[in-house]
Amino acid sequence: MIRAWCICLLLISGCLSAQTAVNVVVKEVNTQSIQRTLALTGTLRAARHAQLSSLSDGVVTQIHAQAGDEVAKGARLLSLDAALVQAQLQALTGAKQRARIAVDDAQRRFNEAQSLSQQALMAATELADRQAALQSAKASLTEAQANERYHKELLARQQLHAPFSGVVAERFVDVGEWVTRGQAVFELVSSEQLWLDLHMPQEHFGAIDLAKQVRFEVPGKASRGFTAKVIAKVPVIDSASRSFLLRLAVPPQAGLQVGLSASAEIVLNKTDEQSVVVPTDALLRHPDGGYSVFVISADKAQRRFVRIGERINGHIEVLSGLEPGMKVVTQGNELLRQGQAVTVVQAREQ
């Protein structure tokens, strides 16, 4: 009999407990304009990065730079066998000198003929012949000079010089090898100006402006933050990734190297779009990764499953599941159950 009474008391106590209202703190769901950010990963590239090739065919006789060497603009990198070109140039230099002597002699003969013609001591046809000879000699000199310049250029092309200052990343040939025009012989990389190339989703093309400052970090240098300026956004969409190239100029004083990966956080331009937001404390996370909140309706708790977006300033953007004006529980929601009675109270001061 006593046991039966105890069971009855427990049942009555449980029913009373289920009907007891739980104290909760609520906040009204509202809307606001959110400053959205986008996290992207990219690669640091050199503004100047070239595969250098020889301008002439020939046998390599000297290598003047090795991989890892820092070279200045105009520094000699490679020499080809130039013996034949030098011999041709010497012959052409002699031909030019003979042509100049011929011009001087033709000029002298023409001047004499002009003087005698003025005194009526020489026929006009002879004067014309000497003038023609002078013009022919001058043409021969011009041809000889052009041939000499051409072979001087050929001789210069037996040397390969650095087109800009940088670091020799790789050397592809050795002494004794035959190289041809267009064949890569050196890889030269300049670290004076670096770019950070990012691939940004196509829907954000209008959400970022040129000259905007973007903050980024490099793995292994997490204690330091870097900034770069947007210098180009290429209006060509990659059909595979549906993204466009966003290029940032990295300040030279950053001291970074080509090829490093970087993580950038891009603050997008604000729009007039209003988003539904709730305090972070209102969210309840489920084991499956989903989220829900409790809203108050007729003094009872009602669970609403939500899909969230951006997190900012202690608030969460709710993409679906809530409407502005609803009351969400921010304190006391940890042990709430569907349909449980609640009493709305003021938030406790911290």
Side-chain angles (χ1 to χ4, degrees), residues 3-309:
R3 182 175 180 178
W5 273 105
C6 289
I7 292 174
C8 290
L9 289 173
L10 288 172
L11 290 173
I12 294 171
S13 176
C15 292
L16 291 174
S17 177
Q19 295 174 355
T20 302
V22 176
N23 292 338
V24 295
V25 176
V26 299
K27 284 289 181 68
E28 183 176 341
V29 177
N30 55 29
T31 61
Q32 68 179 54
S33 177
I34 293 180
Q35 182 74 73
R36 299 185 184 276
T37 60
L38 189 64
L40 296 174
T41 299
T43 303
L44 292 173
R45 304 185 186 280
R48 289 184 171 183
H49 184 171
Q51 300 275 341
L52 306 183
S53 59
S54 172
L55 294 176
S56 295
D57 302 339
V59 176
V60 178
T61 57
Q62 286 183 293
I63 299 289
H64 304 287
Q66 304 296 333
D69 288 353
E70 291 190 8
V71 296
K73 180 180 179 180
R76 189 167 53 172
L77 304 178
L78 173 145
S79 297
L80 300 180
D81 182 8
L84 292 179
V85 179
Q86 287 175 334
Q88 289 177 321
L89 183 59
Q90 287 176 348
L92 290 169
T93 301
K96 184 187 73 171
Q97 291 174 347
R98 287 196 302 272
R100 181 172 284 115
I101 292 172
V103 168
D104 292 342
D105 183 61
Q107 183 71 56
R108 178 185 58 78
R109 291 169 60 83
F110 174 71
N111 292 341
E112 290 177 352
Q114 238 183 356
S115 177
L116 293 172
S117 177
Q118 290 172 357
Q119 300 174 31
L121 298 176
M122 181 172 285
T125 54
E126 179 66 22
L127 177 64
D129 288 344
R130 293 193 182 188
Q131 186 177 20
L134 175 60
Q135 291 174 342
S136 177
K138 287 182 177 179
S140 296
L141 176 60
T142 300
E143 182 181 6
Q145 290 172 332
N147 284 332
E148 184 187 44
R149 286 196 303 271
Y150 176 78
H151 281 78
K152 280 183 177 180
E153 180 61 27
L154 284 183
L155 182 62
R157 292 186 179 202
Q158 305 304 302
Q159 311 279 336
L160 177 63
H161 297 85
F164 53 84
S165 299
V167 177
V168 177
E170 195 168 356
R171 174 170 63 87
F172 302 111
V173 296
D174 210 336
V175 173
E177 291 189 42
W178 178 270
V179 298
T180 59
R181 284 174 291 180
Q183 175 186 346
V185 292
F186 284 98
E187 181 180 4
L188 185 64
V189 180
S190 172
S191 57
E192 292 181 354
Q193 177 61 67
L194 297 184
W195 291 335
L196 174 56
D197 284 352
L198 305 170
H199 291 278
M200 197 165 179
Q202 62 180 12
E203 59 268 24
H204 298 303
F205 187 83
I208 187 165
D209 302 322
L210 295 178
K212 189 180 187 70
Q213 294 292 327
V214 174
R215 183 174 178 80
F216 71 95
E217 293 183 352
V218 175
K221 300 185 179 182
S223 60
R224 295 180 57 192
F226 304 94
T227 57
K229 183 174 69 173
V230 177
I231 59 171
K233 51 179 187 177
V234 181
V236 178
I237 305 300
D238 186 326
S239 59
S241 62
R242 303 299 178 189
S243 62
F244 64 93
L245 174 64
L246 186 71
R247 176 161 287 168
L248 286 67
V250 179
Q253 60 269 27
L256 300 173
Q257 293 78 41
V258 175
L260 293 176
S261 65
S263 300
E265 185 175 273
I266 299 176
V267 180
L268 304 179
N269 295 339
K270 279 190 174 182
T271 65
D272 295 333
E273 177 188 0
Q274 294 293 309
S275 300
V276 175
V277 295
V278 297
T280 305
D281 293 339
L283 279 181
L284 297 172
R285 183 164 185 172
H286 300 172
D288 64 356
Y291 293 90
S292 67
V293 299
F294 278 105
V295 300
I296 303 305
S297 177
D299 294 330
K300 290 188 178 180
Q302 302 292 331
R303 186 185 294 273
R304 299 292 294 265
F305 293 93
V306 296
R307 186 165 60 91
I308 67 171

